Amino acid sequence: MADNKTVTVLYDERVLAHFPDTNSEFLPGRLDKRVRAILSGLKVQWKYPEHPGRLTAIMDLLAREPIPGVQVVGGQKATRDQLARVHTTGFLDQIFELRNQSAWLDVDTTAVSPGSVEAAEVAAGTAIAAVETVMKGESHSAFALVRPPGHHAEPTRARGFCLFNNVAVAAAHAQAELGCQRVLIIDWDAHHGNGTQDIFWADPDVLFFDLHRASPFYPGSGALTDTGAGLGEGTIVNVPMAGGAGDAAYLKALREILVPAADHFKPDLILVSAGFDAHSFDLALNVTYEGFASMTGVVQQIADKHCNGRLAMILEGGYNTESLSKSVHSVLRVLAGAEPPEPRVSGMEEVDIAIDFHKGAFEPD
C-alpha cells in the first residue's frame, strides 16, 4: 500500500432527474428512429443509454465496499456566468428554454426531460466544486460523479448525451477564479472529446490530451494531426486507438506521450474526463479494471510531480453498470492510496491455470 490519501467524491441526487422519455417523438431523419423500429420488430424495447442507474450503481457499490479515505459530499449548481465562460449566450438561452420539457436537441443522441436542465447545471457546478476541493487543499483528489456527461458539448451545440461541457466549465473556473494558469485535461473516454477540443482549440494555457477509439467511431473527430491552432498550436494531443486496444496500449500512450507532454507543459492542475466505456463490456475497447487503476497511478505521478497532487476527475461515459461501477471503484482505490496493479495480458492468467491443471497429463508413461 502507498500512503493513505483523502479522496472526495462529489454526488448530488439532482443529477438523477435527467431521464429522457424513450417514447417521445423522434426528430425527422434520426438514425435512432430506424433502430427503434428494428428493435420493435424484435420485441426489444429501446432505452436511452445514459440513464440514472449508471450513478446509482456506482454509489451502491461504494456503499457495499467502502474505501478508507473516501468521503462523499454534495454538489452544487453552476451559475449562468460560469457556464458562459465556455458556451455562447445564444446556446444557453436555447437550453434554458427547455427547462421542464421533454425534447430531442439534435440529430444524433441528445434529449432532455423535465429535470434535465437543472441536472446539467448541477453536473457542471459539481465539476467546479471538485476543482475547488483540491485547489483549496481540502482533499488530495476529487471525483465528481455527475450526469449528463459533458465532453461532447460544443460552445454552441449539445451533442452525444451532453448538454454543458462539465470539464471545460471546471477548467475555465480554475483559471478565472482559482489562480490556475495552465490546466491539463486528460480524456480517456472511448469517444473523442470533440467539444472540449473545440473549446480549447486555440488556447495555449490548456493542454488537452485525448485517448479514444479512432474514426469512424463516434463522433469521428480527434485525428492524430489535430494539434490546435494559433497560440494553442501543439496543445491538442490526440491518440486514436484501434478497436482492440487495451491496457498495454493505453499505458504505453500515457507513459511515452502524456508524461513528456506534461513535463513540457508543467500544469498547475490536472482534470480527467473519466469515461469508462473503453472497458470491454461496452464493446468499444478492451481496458480492464486493473488498466484503469494503473492509468490512475500514472496520472497521480504527473500530478504529484507538477502540481502538488492537484487532481480532479469528472465522470463521462460508461454504460454497462457493472463495468462502470467496478471501474470507478478501482480508480477510487488508487486515488485513496492503493498501489496501482500492473495489468496482465488478457487471457494469460486463464491459460497459465490451464497449463498447471493439464501438466503431466500427456507425458509418456
Side-chain angles (χ1 to χ4, degrees), residues 190-207:
H191 304 84
H192 180 245
N194 59 288
T196 312
Q197 175 173 289
D198 286 355
I199 290 167
F200 298 114
W201 181 250
D203 190 334
D205 296 322
V206 175
L207 176 61

mmCIF file of all heavy atoms in Angstrom, residues 190-207:
data_model
loop_
_atom_site.group_PDB
_atom_site.id
_atom_site.type_symbol
_atom_site.label_atom_id
_atom_site.label_comp_id
_atom_site.label_asym_id
_atom_site.label_seq_id
_atom_site.Cartn_x
_atom_site.Cartn_y
_atom_site.Cartn_z
ATOM 1 N N ALA A 190 -13.864 6.366 -24.248
ATOM 2 C CA ALA A 190 -13.681 5.684 -25.525
ATOM 3 C C ALA A 190 -13.986 6.583 -26.712
ATOM 4 O O ALA A 190 -13.484 6.368 -27.817
ATOM 5 C CB ALA A 190 -14.570 4.440 -25.586
ATOM 6 N N HIS A 191 -14.812 7.599 -26.501
ATOM 7 C CA HIS A 191 -15.200 8.532 -27.565
ATOM 8 C C HIS A 191 -14.382 9.814 -27.456
ATOM 9 O O HIS A 191 -14.111 10.295 -26.358
ATOM 10 C CB HIS A 191 -16.688 8.873 -27.466
ATOM 11 C CG HIS A 191 -17.586 7.678 -27.496
ATOM 12 N ND1 HIS A 191 -17.873 6.941 -26.357
ATOM 13 C CD2 HIS A 191 -18.243 7.076 -28.510
ATOM 14 C CE1 HIS A 191 -18.680 5.940 -26.687
ATOM 15 N NE2 HIS A 191 -18.924 5.997 -27.978
ATOM 16 N N HIS A 192 -14.023 10.367 -28.582
ATOM 17 C CA HIS A 192 -13.237 11.593 -28.581
ATOM 18 C C HIS A 192 -14.019 12.749 -27.976
ATOM 19 O O HIS A 192 -15.214 12.918 -28.235
ATOM 20 C CB HIS A 192 -12.841 11.961 -30.020
ATOM 21 C CG HIS A 192 -12.037 13.214 -30.116
ATOM 22 N ND1 HIS A 192 -12.496 14.348 -30.748
ATOM 23 C CD2 HIS A 192 -10.813 13.535 -29.614
ATOM 24 C CE1 HIS A 192 -11.581 15.293 -30.663
ATOM 25 N NE2 HIS A 192 -10.556 14.828 -29.980
ATOM 26 N N GLY A 193 -13.340 13.564 -27.164
ATOM 27 C CA GLY A 193 -13.973 14.733 -26.551
ATOM 28 C C GLY A 193 -13.978 15.913 -27.510
ATOM 29 O O GLY A 193 -13.260 16.905 -27.308
ATOM 30 N N ASN A 194 -14.809 15.820 -28.525
ATOM 31 C CA ASN A 194 -14.835 16.845 -29.584
ATOM 32 C C ASN A 194 -15.177 18.228 -29.043
ATOM 33 O O ASN A 194 -14.618 19.235 -29.483
ATOM 34 C CB ASN A 194 -15.851 16.460 -30.658
ATOM 35 C CG ASN A 194 -17.250 16.309 -30.096
ATOM 36 O OD1 ASN A 194 -17.532 15.337 -29.375
ATOM 37 N ND2 ASN A 194 -18.140 17.255 -30.388
ATOM 38 N N GLY A 195 -16.085 18.287 -28.074
ATOM 39 C CA GLY A 195 -16.477 19.581 -27.531
ATOM 40 C C GLY A 195 -15.345 20.241 -26.766
ATOM 41 O O GLY A 195 -15.098 21.445 -26.922
ATOM 42 N N THR A 196 -14.655 19.474 -25.940
ATOM 43 C CA THR A 196 -13.534 20.026 -25.190
ATOM 44 C C THR A 196 -12.439 20.499 -26.137
ATOM 45 O O THR A 196 -11.836 21.563 -25.935
ATOM 46 C CB THR A 196 -12.980 18.970 -24.214
ATOM 47 O OG1 THR A 196 -14.070 18.372 -23.486
ATOM 48 C CG2 THR A 196 -12.011 19.594 -23.238
ATOM 49 N N GLN A 197 -12.179 19.718 -27.174
ATOM 50 C CA GLN A 197 -11.181 20.127 -28.162
ATOM 51 C C GLN A 197 -11.570 21.442 -28.838
ATOM 52 O O GLN A 197 -10.741 22.343 -28.986
ATOM 53 C CB GLN A 197 -11.011 19.030 -29.219
ATOM 54 C CG GLN A 197 -10.076 19.435 -30.358
ATOM 55 C CD GLN A 197 -9.787 18.284 -31.313
ATOM 56 O OE1 GLN A 197 -9.077 17.358 -30.959
ATOM 57 N NE2 GLN A 197 -10.340 18.352 -32.518
ATOM 58 N N ASP A 198 -12.839 21.556 -29.218
ATOM 59 C CA ASP A 198 -13.288 22.791 -29.871
ATOM 60 C C ASP A 198 -13.117 24.005 -28.955
ATOM 61 O O ASP A 198 -12.678 25.073 -29.385
ATOM 62 C CB ASP A 198 -14.759 22.667 -30.278
ATOM 63 C CG ASP A 198 -14.956 21.765 -31.483
ATOM 64 O OD1 ASP A 198 -13.952 21.313 -32.068
ATOM 65 O OD2 ASP A 198 -16.124 21.508 -31.842
ATOM 66 N N ILE A 199 -13.473 23.846 -27.702
ATOM 67 C CA ILE A 199 -13.439 24.964 -26.757
ATOM 68 C C ILE A 199 -12.013 25.471 -26.552
ATOM 69 O O ILE A 199 -11.771 26.680 -26.472
ATOM 70 C CB ILE A 199 -14.094 24.557 -25.434
ATOM 71 C CG1 ILE A 199 -15.610 24.397 -25.620
ATOM 72 C CG2 ILE A 199 -13.796 25.570 -24.325
ATOM 73 C CD1 ILE A 199 -16.310 23.698 -24.465
ATOM 74 N N PHE A 200 -11.055 24.544 -26.478
ATOM 75 C CA PHE A 200 -9.675 24.931 -26.165
ATOM 76 C C PHE A 200 -8.738 24.824 -27.375
ATOM 77 O O PHE A 200 -7.515 24.774 -27.208
ATOM 78 C CB PHE A 200 -9.155 24.086 -25.005
ATOM 79 C CG PHE A 200 -9.932 24.279 -23.730
ATOM 80 C CD1 PHE A 200 -10.683 23.243 -23.186
ATOM 81 C CD2 PHE A 200 -9.940 25.508 -23.080
ATOM 82 C CE1 PHE A 200 -11.400 23.410 -22.017
ATOM 83 C CE2 PHE A 200 -10.665 25.699 -21.904
ATOM 84 C CZ PHE A 200 -11.398 24.655 -21.368
ATOM 85 N N TRP A 201 -9.297 24.828 -28.569
ATOM 86 C CA TRP A 201 -8.538 24.608 -29.805
ATOM 87 C C TRP A 201 -7.371 25.589 -29.963
ATOM 88 O O TRP A 201 -6.298 25.209 -30.433
ATOM 89 C CB TRP A 201 -9.489 24.714 -30.991
ATOM 90 C CG TRP A 201 -8.855 24.495 -32.341
ATOM 91 C CD1 TRP A 201 -8.635 25.421 -33.312
ATOM 92 C CD2 TRP A 201 -8.388 23.250 -32.865
ATOM 93 N NE1 TRP A 201 -8.057 24.846 -34.417
ATOM 94 C CE2 TRP A 201 -7.900 23.509 -34.165
ATOM 95 C CE3 TRP A 201 -8.327 21.939 -32.368
ATOM 96 C CZ2 TRP A 201 -7.345 22.513 -34.985
ATOM 97 C CZ3 TRP A 201 -7.784 20.947 -33.175
ATOM 98 C CH2 TRP A 201 -7.311 21.227 -34.451
ATOM 99 N N ALA A 202 -7.549 26.828 -29.568
ATOM 100 C CA ALA A 202 -6.506 27.842 -29.753
ATOM 101 C C ALA A 202 -6.024 28.417 -28.432
ATOM 102 O O ALA A 202 -5.485 29.517 -28.387
ATOM 103 C CB ALA A 202 -7.016 28.961 -30.664
ATOM 104 N N ASP A 203 -6.199 27.670 -27.343
ATOM 105 C CA ASP A 203 -5.843 28.149 -26.009
ATOM 106 C C ASP A 203 -4.473 27.589 -25.613
ATOM 107 O O ASP A 203 -4.336 26.378 -25.402
ATOM 108 C CB ASP A 203 -6.907 27.721 -25.005
ATOM 109 C CG ASP A 203 -6.747 28.389 -23.648
ATOM 110 O OD1 ASP A 203 -5.613 28.776 -23.313
ATOM 111 O OD2 ASP A 203 -7.749 28.511 -22.924
ATOM 112 N N PRO A 204 -3.451 28.421 -25.466
ATOM 113 C CA PRO A 204 -2.124 27.916 -25.115
ATOM 114 C C PRO A 204 -1.993 27.482 -23.658
ATOM 115 O O PRO A 204 -1.000 26.839 -23.289
ATOM 116 C CB PRO A 204 -1.215 29.119 -25.399
ATOM 117 C CG PRO A 204 -2.089 30.305 -25.175
ATOM 118 C CD PRO A 204 -3.456 29.889 -25.648
ATOM 119 N N ASP A 205 -2.990 27.815 -22.836
ATOM 120 C CA ASP A 205 -2.910 27.533 -21.405
ATOM 121 C C ASP A 205 -3.689 26.295 -20.979
ATOM 122 O O ASP A 205 -3.788 26.003 -19.782
ATOM 123 C CB ASP A 205 -3.399 28.747 -20.612
ATOM 124 C CG ASP A 205 -2.515 29.954 -20.827
ATOM 125 O OD1 ASP A 205 -1.285 29.779 -20.922
ATOM 126 O OD2 ASP A 205 -3.048 31.078 -20.926
ATOM 127 N N VAL A 206 -4.257 25.576 -21.955
ATOM 128 C CA VAL A 206 -4.919 24.302 -21.669
ATOM 129 C C VAL A 206 -4.324 23.244 -22.585
ATOM 130 O O VAL A 206 -4.369 23.373 -23.816
ATOM 131 C CB VAL A 206 -6.446 24.383 -21.880
ATOM 132 C CG1 VAL A 206 -7.083 23.001 -21.691
ATOM 133 C CG2 VAL A 206 -7.071 25.380 -20.912
ATOM 134 N N LEU A 207 -3.730 22.220 -21.989
ATOM 135 C CA LEU A 207 -3.232 21.080 -22.752
ATOM 136 C C LEU A 207 -4.306 19.997 -22.719
ATOM 137 O O LEU A 207 -4.667 19.506 -21.646
ATOM 138 C CB LEU A 207 -1.938 20.553 -22.152
ATOM 139 C CG LEU A 207 -1.342 19.283 -22.801
ATOM 140 C CD1 LEU A 207 -1.008 19.530 -24.265
ATOM 141 C CD2 LEU A 207 -0.112 18.810 -22.027
#
